[in-house]
Coordinates of all heavy atoms in Angstrom, one line a residue:
A194 N 104.0 91.0 101.5 CA 102.5 91.0 101.5 C 102.1 92.4 101.5 O 102.8 93.4 101.9 CB 102.0 90.3 102.7
F195 N 100.8 92.6 101.0 CA 100.2 94.0 101.0 C 98.7 93.7 101.2 O 98.3 92.6 101.2 CB 100.6 94.7 99.7 CG 100.1 94.0 98.4 CD1 98.9 94.3 97.8 CD2 101.0 93.1 97.8 CE1 98.5 93.6 96.7 CE2 100.6 92.4 96.7 CZ 99.4 92.7 96.1
E196 N 98.0 94.8 101.3 CA 96.6 94.7 101.5 C 95.8 95.4 100.3 O 96.3 96.3 99.6 CB 96.2 95.4 102.8 CG 96.6 94.7 104.0 CD 96.1 95.2 105.3 OE1 96.0 96.4 105.4 OE2 95.8 94.4 106.2
I197 N 94.6 94.8 100.1 CA 93.7 95.5 99.1 C 92.5 95.9 99.8 O 92.0 95.1 100.7 CB 93.4 94.5 97.9 CG1 93.0 93.2 98.4 CG2 94.6 94.4 97.0 CD1 92.5 92.3 97.2
R198 N 92.0 97.0 99.4 CA 90.7 97.5 100.0 C 89.7 97.5 98.9 O 90.0 98.0 97.8 CB 90.9 98.9 100.6 CG 89.7 99.4 101.3 CD 89.9 100.8 101.9 NE 88.7 101.5 102.0 CZ 87.9 101.3 103.1 NH1 88.2 100.5 104.0 NH2 86.8 102.0 103.1
L199 N 88.6 96.9 99.1 CA 87.5 96.9 98.2 C 86.5 98.0 98.5 O 85.8 98.0 99.5 CB 86.7 95.5 98.2 CG 87.6 94.3 98.2 CD1 86.8 93.0 98.1 CD2 88.7 94.3 97.2
Q200 N 86.6 99.0 97.6 CA 85.9 100.3 97.8 C 84.4 100.1 98.2 O 83.9 100.7 99.1 CB 86.1 101.2 96.6 CG 85.4 102.5 96.7 CD 86.1 103.4 97.7 OE1 87.2 103.2 98.2 NE2 85.4 104.5 98.1
H201 N 83.7 99.2 97.4 CA 82.3 99.1 97.6 C 81.8 98.4 98.8 O 80.8 98.8 99.4 CB 81.7 98.5 96.3 CG 82.0 99.3 95.1 ND1 81.4 100.6 94.9 CD2 82.9 99.1 94.1 CE1 81.9 101.1 93.7 NE2 82.8 100.2 93.3
S202 N 82.6 97.4 99.2 CA 82.1 96.7 100.5 C 82.9 97.2 101.7 O 82.6 96.8 102.8 CB 82.4 95.2 100.3 OG 83.8 95.0 100.0
G203 N 84.0 97.9 101.4 CA 84.8 98.4 102.5 C 85.7 97.3 103.1 O 86.3 97.5 104.2
R204 N 85.7 96.1 102.5 CA 86.5 95.1 103.0 C 88.0 95.3 102.7 O 88.4 95.8 101.7 CB 86.2 93.7 102.4 CG 84.8 93.2 102.8 CD 84.3 92.2 101.8 NE 84.7 90.9 102.2 CZ 84.6 89.8 101.4 NH1 84.1 90.0 100.2 NH2 84.9 88.6 101.8
T205 N 88.9 94.9 103.6 CA 90.3 94.9 103.4 C 90.9 93.5 103.5 O 90.6 92.8 104.5 CB 91.0 95.8 104.4 OG1 90.4 97.1 104.4 CG2 92.5 95.9 104.2
L206 N 91.6 93.1 102.5 CA 92.1 91.7 102.4 C 93.6 91.7 102.3 O 94.2 92.6 101.6 CB 91.5 91.0 101.2 CG 89.9 90.9 101.1 CD1 89.5 90.3 99.8 CD2 89.3 90.2 102.3
Q207 N 94.2 90.7 102.9 CA 95.7 90.6 102.8 C 96.0 89.8 101.6 O 95.4 88.7 101.4 CB 96.1 89.9 104.1 CG 97.6 89.6 104.3 CD 98.2 90.7 105.1 OE1 97.5 91.5 105.8 NE2 99.5 90.7 105.2
V208 N 97.0 90.2 100.9 CA 97.5 89.4 99.7 C 98.9 88.9 100.1 O 99.9 89.6 100.1 CB 97.6 90.3 98.4 CG1 98.1 89.4 97.3 CG2 96.3 90.9 98.1
P209 N 99.0 87.6 100.4 CA 100.3 87.0 100.8 C 101.2 86.9 99.6 O 100.7 86.9 98.5 CB 99.9 85.7 101.4 CG 98.6 85.3 100.9 CD 97.9 86.6 100.5
A210 N 102.5 86.7 99.8 CA 103.5 86.7 98.7 C 103.2 85.6 97.7 O 103.6 85.7 96.6 CB 104.9 86.5 99.3
D211 N 102.6 84.5 98.2 CA 102.4 83.3 97.3 C 101.0 83.3 96.6 O 100.6 82.3 96.0 CB 102.7 82.0 98.0 CG 101.7 81.9 99.2 OD1 101.0 82.8 99.6 OD2 101.7 80.7 99.8
M212 N 100.3 84.4 96.7 CA 99.0 84.4 96.0 C 98.9 85.7 95.2 O 99.4 86.8 95.5 CB 97.8 84.4 97.1 CG 97.6 83.1 97.7 SD 96.3 83.1 98.9 CE 94.8 83.0 97.9
T213 N 98.1 85.6 94.1 CA 97.8 86.8 93.3 C 96.6 87.5 93.9 O 95.8 87.0 94.7 CB 97.5 86.5 91.9 OG1 96.2 85.7 91.8 CG2 98.6 85.6 91.2
I214 N 96.4 88.8 93.5 CA 95.2 89.5 93.9 C 94.0 88.8 93.5 O 93.0 88.6 94.3 CB 95.2 91.0 93.3 CG1 96.4 91.8 93.8 CG2 93.9 91.7 93.6 CD1 96.6 93.1 93.2
A215 N 93.9 88.3 92.3 CA 92.8 87.5 91.8 C 92.5 86.3 92.6 O 91.3 86.0 93.0 CB 93.0 87.1 90.3
Q216 N 93.5 85.6 93.0 CA 93.3 84.4 93.9 C 92.7 84.8 95.2 O 91.9 84.1 95.8 CB 94.7 83.7 94.1 CG 95.1 82.9 92.8 CD 96.5 82.4 92.9 OE1 97.3 82.9 93.8 NE2 96.9 81.5 92.1
V217 N 93.2 85.9 95.8 CA 92.7 86.3 97.1 C 91.2 86.7 97.0 O 90.4 86.3 97.8 CB 93.5 87.5 97.7 CG1 92.9 88.1 98.9 CG2 94.9 87.0 98.0
L218 N 90.9 87.4 95.9 CA 89.5 87.8 95.7 C 88.6 86.6 95.6 O 87.6 86.5 96.2 CB 89.4 88.7 94.5 CG 90.0 90.1 94.6 CD1 90.1 90.8 93.3 CD2 89.2 90.9 95.6
S219 N 89.0 85.6 94.7 CA 88.2 84.4 94.6 C 88.0 83.7 95.9 O 87.0 83.2 96.2 CB 88.8 83.4 93.6 OG 89.3 84.1 92.5
A220 N 89.1 83.6 96.6 CA 89.1 82.9 97.9 C 88.1 83.5 98.9 O 87.6 82.9 99.8 CB 90.5 82.8 98.5
H221 N 87.8 84.8 98.7 CA 86.8 85.5 99.5 C 85.5 85.7 98.8 O 84.7 86.5 99.2 CB 87.4 86.9 100.0 CG 88.5 86.7 101.0 ND1 89.8 86.5 100.7 CD2 88.4 86.7 102.3 CE1 90.5 86.4 101.8 NE2 89.7 86.5 102.8
G222 N 85.3 84.9 97.8 CA 84.0 84.9 97.2 C 83.7 86.1 96.2 O 82.5 86.3 95.9
V223 N 84.7 86.8 95.9 CA 84.5 88.0 94.9 C 84.8 87.4 93.5 O 85.8 86.9 93.2 CB 85.5 89.1 95.2 CG1 85.3 90.3 94.3 CG2 85.4 89.6 96.7
D224 N 83.8 87.6 92.7 CA 83.9 87.2 91.3 C 84.9 88.0 90.5 O 84.8 89.2 90.5 CB 82.5 87.3 90.6 CG 81.7 86.1 90.7 OD1 82.3 85.0 91.0 OD2 80.5 86.2 90.6
V225 N 85.8 87.3 89.9 CA 86.8 88.0 89.0 C 86.8 87.4 87.7 O 86.7 86.2 87.5 CB 88.2 88.0 89.7 CG1 88.3 88.9 90.9 CG2 88.7 86.6 90.0
E226 N 87.0 88.2 86.6 CA 87.0 87.7 85.3 C 88.5 87.6 84.9 O 89.2 88.5 84.9 CB 86.3 88.7 84.4 CG 85.6 88.0 83.2 CD 84.9 88.9 82.3 OE1 84.3 89.9 82.7 OE2 85.1 88.7 81.1
L227 N 88.8 86.3 84.5 CA 90.2 86.1 84.1 C 90.2 85.4 82.8 O 89.3 84.7 82.4 CB 90.9 85.2 85.2 CG 91.1 85.7 86.6 CD1 91.7 84.7 87.5 CD2 92.0 87.0 86.6
S228 N 91.3 85.5 82.1 CA 91.5 84.8 80.9 C 92.9 84.2 80.8 O 93.1 83.0 81.2 CB 91.2 85.6 79.7 OG 91.3 84.8 78.5
C229 N 93.9 85.0 80.4 CA 95.2 84.5 80.2 C 95.9 84.2 81.5 O 96.8 83.3 81.6 CB 96.0 85.4 79.3 SG 96.5 86.9 80.2
E230 N 95.6 85.0 82.5 CA 96.3 84.9 83.8 C 97.8 85.1 83.7 O 98.6 84.6 84.5 CB 96.0 83.6 84.5 CG 94.5 83.5 84.9 CD 94.2 82.3 85.7 OE1 94.8 82.2 86.8 OE2 93.3 81.5 85.3
Q231 N 98.3 85.7 82.6 CA 99.7 86.0 82.4 C 100.0 87.4 82.1 O 101.1 87.8 81.6 CB 100.2 85.1 81.2 CG 100.3 83.6 81.6 CD 100.6 82.8 80.4 OE1 101.4 83.2 79.5 NE2 100.2 81.5 80.4
G232 N 99.0 88.3 82.2 CA 99.3 89.7 82.0 C 99.3 90.1 80.6 O 99.8 91.2 80.2
V233 N 98.7 89.3 79.7 CA 98.7 89.6 78.3 C 97.4 90.2 77.7 O 97.4 91.1 76.9 CB 99.1 88.3 77.5 CG1 99.1 88.6 76.0 CG2 100.5 87.8 77.9
C234 N 96.3 89.6 78.2 CA 95.0 89.9 77.5 C 94.3 91.1 77.9 O 93.5 91.7 77.2 CB 94.1 88.7 77.6 SG 93.4 88.4 79.3
G235 N 94.5 91.5 79.2 CA 93.8 92.7 79.7 C 92.4 92.5 80.3 O 91.7 93.4 80.8
T236 N 91.9 91.2 80.2 CA 90.6 90.9 80.7 C 90.4 91.3 82.2 O 89.4 91.7 82.6 CB 90.4 89.4 80.6 OG1 90.5 89.0 79.2 CG2 89.0 88.9 81.1
C237 N 91.5 91.1 83.0 CA 91.3 91.3 84.4 C 91.6 92.7 84.9 O 91.6 92.9 86.1 CB 92.3 90.3 85.1 SG 94.0 90.8 84.8
L238 N 91.8 93.6 84.0 CA 92.1 95.0 84.4 C 91.0 95.5 85.3 O 89.8 95.5 85.0 CB 92.3 95.9 83.2 CG 93.6 95.9 82.4 CD1 93.6 96.8 81.2 CD2 94.7 96.3 83.4
T239 N 91.4 96.1 86.4 CA 90.5 96.6 87.4 C 90.9 98.0 87.7 O 92.1 98.3 87.8 CB 90.6 95.7 88.7 OG1 90.2 94.4 88.3 CG2 89.7 96.2 89.8
S240 N 89.9 98.9 87.9 CA 90.2 100.3 88.3 C 90.9 100.4 89.6 O 90.4 99.7 90.6 CB 89.0 101.1 88.3 OG 88.5 101.2 87.0
L241 N 92.0 101.1 89.6 CA 92.7 101.3 90.9 C 92.4 102.7 91.4 O 92.7 103.7 90.7 CB 94.2 101.2 90.5 CG 95.2 101.3 91.6 CD1 95.0 100.3 92.7 CD2 96.6 101.1 91.1
L242 N 91.8 102.8 92.5 CA 91.4 104.1 93.0 C 92.4 104.8 93.8 O 92.5 106.1 93.9 CB 90.1 104.0 93.9 CG 88.9 103.3 93.1 CD1 87.8 103.1 94.1 CD2 88.5 104.2 92.0
D243 N 93.3 104.0 94.5 CA 94.3 104.6 95.3 C 95.4 103.6 95.5 O 95.2 102.4 95.4 CB 93.7 105.0 96.7 CG 94.7 106.0 97.4 OD1 95.4 106.8 96.7 OD2 94.7 106.0 98.6
G244 N 96.7 104.1 95.7 CA 97.8 103.2 95.8 C 98.6 103.1 94.6 O 98.2 103.6 93.5
E245 N 99.8 102.5 94.7 CA 100.7 102.4 93.5 C 100.9 101.0 93.2 O 101.3 100.2 94.1 CB 102.0 103.1 93.9 CG 102.8 103.4 92.7 CD 104.0 104.3 93.1 OE1 103.9 105.2 93.9 OE2 105.1 104.0 92.6
A246 N 100.6 100.6 92.0 CA 100.7 99.2 91.5 C 102.2 98.9 91.2 O 102.9 99.8 90.7 CB 99.9 99.0 90.3
D247 N 102.5 97.6 91.3 CA 103.8 97.1 90.8 C 103.3 96.3 89.6 O 103.0 95.1 89.7 CB 104.4 96.2 91.9 CG 105.7 95.5 91.3 OD1 106.1 95.8 90.2 OD2 106.2 94.7 92.1
H248 N 103.3 97.0 88.4 CA 102.7 96.4 87.2 C 103.5 95.2 86.7 O 104.7 95.4 86.5 CB 102.6 97.4 86.1 CG 101.6 98.5 86.4 ND1 100.3 98.3 86.6 CD2 101.8 99.9 86.7 CE1 99.7 99.5 86.8 NE2 100.6 100.4 86.9
R249 N 102.9 94.1 86.5 CA 103.6 92.9 86.0 C 102.9 92.5 84.6 O 103.3 91.4 84.1 CB 103.5 91.8 87.0 CG 103.9 92.1 88.4 CD 105.4 91.9 88.6 NE 105.9 92.3 89.9 CZ 106.1 91.4 90.9 NH1 105.8 90.2 90.7 NH2 106.4 91.9 92.1
D250 N 102.0 93.3 84.2 CA 101.3 92.9 82.9 C 102.1 93.5 81.7 O 103.0 94.3 81.9 CB 99.9 93.4 82.9 CG 99.8 95.0 82.8 OD1 100.1 95.6 83.8 OD2 99.5 95.5 81.7
F251 N 101.7 93.0 80.5 CA 102.3 93.4 79.3 C 101.3 94.1 78.4 O 101.5 94.3 77.3 CB 102.9 92.2 78.5 CG 103.8 91.4 79.3 CD1 103.3 90.2 80.0 CD2 105.1 91.7 79.5 CE1 104.1 89.5 80.7 CE2 105.9 90.9 80.3 CZ 105.4 89.8 80.9
F252 N 100.1 94.4 79.0 CA 99.0 94.9 78.3 C 99.0 96.5 78.2 O 98.7 97.1 77.2 CB 97.7 94.4 78.9 CG 96.5 94.7 78.1 CD1 96.1 94.0 77.0 CD2 95.7 95.8 78.5 CE1 95.0 94.4 76.3 CE2 94.5 96.1 77.8 CZ 94.2 95.4 76.7
Q253 N 99.2 97.1 79.4 CA 99.1 98.5 79.4 C 100.3 99.2 78.8 O 101.4 98.6 78.9 CB 98.9 99.0 80.9 CG 97.7 98.5 81.6 CD 97.5 99.1 83.0 OE1 96.9 100.2 83.1 NE2 98.0 98.5 84.0
T254 N 100.1 100.4 78.3 CA 101.2 101.2 77.8 C 102.0 101.8 79.0 O 101.5 101.8 80.1 CB 100.7 102.3 76.9 OG1 100.0 103.2 77.8 CG2 99.9 101.9 75.8
E255 N 103.2 102.3 78.7 CA 104.0 102.9 79.7 C 103.3 104.0 80.4 O 103.3 104.2 81.6 CB 105.3 103.4 79.1 CG 106.4 102.4 79.0 CD 106.7 101.6 80.2 OE1 106.8 102.2 81.3 OE2 106.7 100.4 80.2
E256 N 102.5 104.8 79.6 CA 101.8 106.0 80.1 C 100.7 105.5 81.0 O 100.5 106.0 82.1 CB 101.1 106.8 79.0 CG 102.1 107.6 78.1 CD 102.8 106.8 77.1 OE1 102.4 105.6 76.8 OE2 103.7 107.3 76.5
E257 N 100.0 104.4 80.6 CA 98.9 103.9 81.5 C 99.5 103.3 82.8 O 98.9 103.5 83.8 CB 98.2 102.8 80.7 CG 97.3 103.3 79.6 CD 96.7 102.2 78.7 OE1 97.4 101.1 78.6 OE2 95.7 102.4 78.1
R258 N 100.6 102.7 82.7 CA 101.2 102.1 83.9 C 101.5 103.3 84.9 O 101.3 103.2 86.1 CB 102.5 101.4 83.6 CG 102.4 100.1 82.9 CD 103.7 99.9 82.1 NE 103.6 98.6 81.5 CZ 104.0 97.4 82.1 NH1 104.5 97.5 83.3 NH2 103.8 96.3 81.5
A259 N 102.1 104.3 84.3 CA 102.5 105.5 85.2 C 101.4 106.2 85.8 O 101.5 106.8 86.9 CB 103.3 106.4 84.3
E260 N 100.2 106.1 85.2 CA 99.0 106.7 85.8 C 98.4 106.0 87.0 O 97.7 106.5 87.8 CB 97.9 106.9 84.7 CG 98.2 108.0 83.7 CD 97.2 108.1 82.6 OE1 96.2 107.2 82.6 OE2 97.3 108.9 81.8
H261 N 98.7 104.7 87.0 CA 98.2 103.8 88.1 C 96.7 103.9 88.3 O 96.2 104.0 89.4 CB 98.9 104.2 89.5 CG 100.3 103.8 89.5 ND1 100.8 102.5 89.6 CD2 101.4 104.6 89.3 CE1 102.1 102.5 89.5 NE2 102.5 103.8 89.4
K262 N 96.0 103.9 87.1 CA 94.5 104.0 87.2 C 93.9 102.6 87.0 O 92.8 102.4 87.4 CB 94.0 104.9 86.0 CG 94.4 106.3 86.2 CD 93.2 107.2 86.0 CE 93.5 108.7 86.3 NZ 93.9 109.5 85.1
Q263 N 94.7 101.7 86.5 CA 94.2 100.3 86.3 C 95.3 99.3 86.7 O 96.5 99.6 86.6 CB 93.8 100.0 84.9 CG 92.6 100.9 84.4 CD 92.0 100.2 83.2 OE1 91.0 99.5 83.3 NE2 92.6 100.5 82.0
I264 N 94.8 98.1 87.2 CA 95.8 97.1 87.5 C 95.3 95.8 87.0 O 94.1 95.5 87.1 CB 96.0 97.1 89.1 CG1 97.0 96.0 89.5 CG2 94.7 96.9 89.8 CD1 97.5 96.1 90.9
A265 N 96.2 95.0 86.5 CA 95.9 93.6 86.0 C 96.0 92.7 87.2 O 97.1 92.4 87.7 CB 96.9 93.2 84.9
I266 N 94.9 92.3 87.8 CA 94.9 91.6 89.1 C 95.3 90.2 89.0 O 95.5 89.5 90.0 CB 93.5 91.7 89.8 CG1 92.4 91.2 88.9 CG2 93.2 93.2 90.2 CD1 91.1 91.0 89.6
C267 N 95.5 89.6 87.7 CA 96.0 88.3 87.6 C 97.5 88.1 88.0 O 98.0 87.1 88.2 CB 95.8 87.7 86.2 SG 96.8 88.5 84.9
C268 N 98.2 89.3 87.9 CA 99.6 89.1 88.1 C 100.3 90.3 88.7 O 101.4 90.1 89.3 CB 100.3 88.9 86.7 SG 99.8 90.2 85.5
S269 N 99.7 91.5 88.6 CA 100.4 92.7 89.2 C 100.3 92.7 90.7 O 99.4 92.1 91.3 CB 99.8 94.0 88.6 OG 100.2 94.0 87.2
R270 N 101.2 93.4 91.3 CA 101.3 93.5 92.8 C 101.3 94.9 93.2 O 100.9 95.8 92.5 CB 102.4 92.7 93.3 CG 102.4 91.2 92.7 CD 103.3 90.3 93.4 NE 102.9 90.0 94.8 CZ 102.0 89.2 95.2 NH1 101.3 88.5 94.3 NH2 101.7 89.0 96.5
A271 N 101.7 95.2 94.4 CA 101.7 96.6 95.0 C 103.1 97.1 95.3 O 103.9 96.3 95.8 CB 100.8 96.6 96.2
R272 N 103.2 98.4 95.1 CA 104.4 99.1 95.6 C 104.1 99.8 96.9 O 105.0 100.1 97.7 CB 105.0 100.1 94.6 CG 105.9 99.4 93.6 CD 106.7 100.5 92.9 NE 107.1 100.0 91.6 CZ 106.9 100.6 90.5 NH1 106.3 101.8 90.5 NH2 107.3 100.1 89.4
S273 N 102.8 100.2 97.1 CA 102.4 100.8 98.3 C 101.8 99.7 99.2 O 101.4 98.7 98.7 CB 101.4 101.9 98.0 OG 100.3 101.4 97.2
P274 N 101.7 100.0 100.5 CA 101.2 98.9 101.4 C 99.7 98.6 101.2 O 99.3 97.5 101.5 CB 101.3 99.5 102.8 CG 102.1 100.8 102.6 CD 102.1 101.2 101.2
L275 N 99.0 99.5 100.5 CA 97.5 99.3 100.3 C 97.1 99.7 98.9 O 97.6 100.8 98.5 CB 96.8 100.1 101.4 CG 95.2 100.0 101.3 CD1 94.7 98.7 101.7 CD2 94.6 101.1 102.2
L276 N 96.3 98.9 98.3 CA 95.7 99.3 97.0 C 94.2 99.3 97.2 O 93.7 98.4 97.7 CB 96.0 98.2 95.9 CG 97.5 98.0 95.5 CD1 97.5 96.9 94.4 CD2 98.1 99.2 94.9
T277 N 93.6 100.4 96.7 CA 92.2 100.5 96.8 C 91.6 100.2 95.4 O 91.9 100.9 94.5 CB 91.7 101.9 97.3 OG1 92.3 102.1 98.6 CG2 90.2 101.9 97.4
L278 N 90.8 99.2 95.3 CA 90.2 98.7 94.1 C 88.8 99.1 93.9 O 88.0 99.1 94.9 CB 90.4 97.2 93.9 CG 91.8 96.6 94.0 CD1 91.7 95.1 94.0 CD2 92.7 97.2 92.9
D279 N 88.4 99.4 92.7 CA 87.0 99.7 92.4 C 86.1 98.4 92.3 O 85.6 98.1 91.3 CB 86.9 100.5 91.1 CG 85.6 101.1 90.9 OD1 84.8 101.2 91.8 OD2 85.3 101.6 89.7
L280 N 86.1 97.7 93.4 CA 85.3 96.5 93.5 C 84.4 96.5 94.7 O 84.7 97.2 95.7 CB 86.3 95.3 93.6 CG 87.1 94.9 92.4 CD1 88.1 93.8 92.8 CD2 86.2 94.4 91.3
Ligands
FES1005 FE1 94.9 88.3 81.0 FE2 95.0 89.3 83.5 S1 93.8 87.6 82.8 S2 95.9 90.1 81.7

C-alpha cells in the first residue's frame, strides 16, 4: 500500500494493494476521467507533483516515465511511499 496526497484539497488517501489509484479517488468522490483502464489510451494521465511512480502504462515514452511528471492513475502505482497528485 501507498498514499496519495491531493495537492488542492490537502487530503491524503491510502491506496491498498487491491485497488487502483483511480478506484480510490472515485470511492472518495473525486471525479476521474477513465477510458481504457489498461494503460493504453492516456486519458487518465494526471500530473505528478512529487514522488516516484511505478509506471504500468504503455502510453508514456521512456523519457516521460523517467521524468515522473505524469502518472496513469488507472493502473500505475508508487515506488515511493507517497505520491502528490495535481488534483
Ligand atoms: Fe487509458 Fe488510463 S484510462 S491509460
Side-chain angles (χ1 to χ4, degrees):
F195 57 94
E196 290 187 322
I197 51 173
R198 184 176 156 83
L199 313 188
Q200 179 70 14
H201 300 288
S202 61
R204 291 161 90 191
T205 302
L206 306 173
Q207 181 97 9
V208 183
D211 60 348
M212 284 178 83
T213 66
I214 296 174
Q216 286 169 343
V217 168
L218 288 169
S219 317
H221 287 84
V223 181
D224 269 338
V225 289
E226 214 184 317
L227 296 176
S228 182
C229 72
E230 297 187 55
Q231 290 175 29
V233 177
C234 71
T236 302
C237 69
L238 279 177
T239 300
S240 291
L241 180 60
L242 301 175
D243 197 32
E245 197 170 318
D247 177 5
H248 295 294
R249 308 272 176 98
D250 67 286
F251 308 97
F252 184 82
Q253 299 188 86
T254 64
E255 278 308 313
E256 288 82 10
E257 287 169 336
R258 289 158 177 271
E260 285 177 359
H261 294 284
K262 293 228 173 95
Q263 295 200 98
I264 180 168
I266 57 170
C267 70
C268 52
S269 294
R270 307 194 65 82
R272 271 198 207 128
S273 53
L275 178 70
L276 296 178
T277 303
L278 303 176
D279 190 14
L280 288 175

